[in-house]
Amino acid sequence: MRQAGRVVAEMHEVCAAAAVPGATTADLDRVAREVLEKRGARSNFLGYHGFPAVVCTSPNEVIVHGIPGDRVLSEGDIISIDCGAIIDGWHADAALTVPVGDIDELSRRLIDVTSASLDAAIDKVHADARLGDLGAACEAVVHAAGFSVVREYVGHGIGTAMHEDPEVPNYGRAGRGMRLRDGMVLAIEPMVNAGEAATRVLDDGWTVVTVDGSRSAHFEHSVAITEHGPEILTVP
Ligand code: MG
Ligand code: MG
């Protein structure tokens, strides 16, 4: 899973570099495919319930599951890039949101707060912690900033499949929920809206957007629970 995680981190790196004004979301999928090929990894996104790409590209008001295509990125956009990889049957999954050129102050803050909310959840990861500890920590950071946590989509366990039990909500109550154990791996993935939390799926059956049109950001890491604390697998 560490090897798969490193591939995902490299996919993020090339996608972030390709997210410039004038690029299309399909360009991001193309550079991500090159990394999978170069590293001998398979995609866990391509073909997942028929998903047609190796990355989800979710600009601005798109929360998650955007399909790469001919949408052109403009200066001032933000874009969430979510992708995964499989090495020898083991999965990794991670996401990040990056600016396209110069972005406004609200978008900058949305990205920073979402990233900080993931860090806050990861800080709670240790054997004997409860799932609710993670969600509560994440939610506290988001609410303090005046933003909303998406509730309909959550994180998950990950291993020999991309989506395993348990569900990992980005909200909750400390001290509640399943107890964590050494050896578990969780994909923790807060999705944060600048406006209201409500979500809607477009007619393509995939693209999830904010109902109020506000911008949304998404950060995710696959995190192992070890006797030494959390180990983030989806890093270079
Ligand atoms: Mg995930
Ligand atoms: Mg993901």
Side-chain angles (χ1 to χ4, degrees), residues 93 156 163 187 189 220:
D93 176 18
H156 48 92
H163 293 139
E189 51 177 317
E220 175 181 26

Side-chain angles (χ1 to χ4, degrees), residues 83-99:
C83 60
I86 310 170
I87 297 265
D88 292 339
W90 294 95
H91 291 241
D93 176 18
L96 82 173
T97 302
V98 297

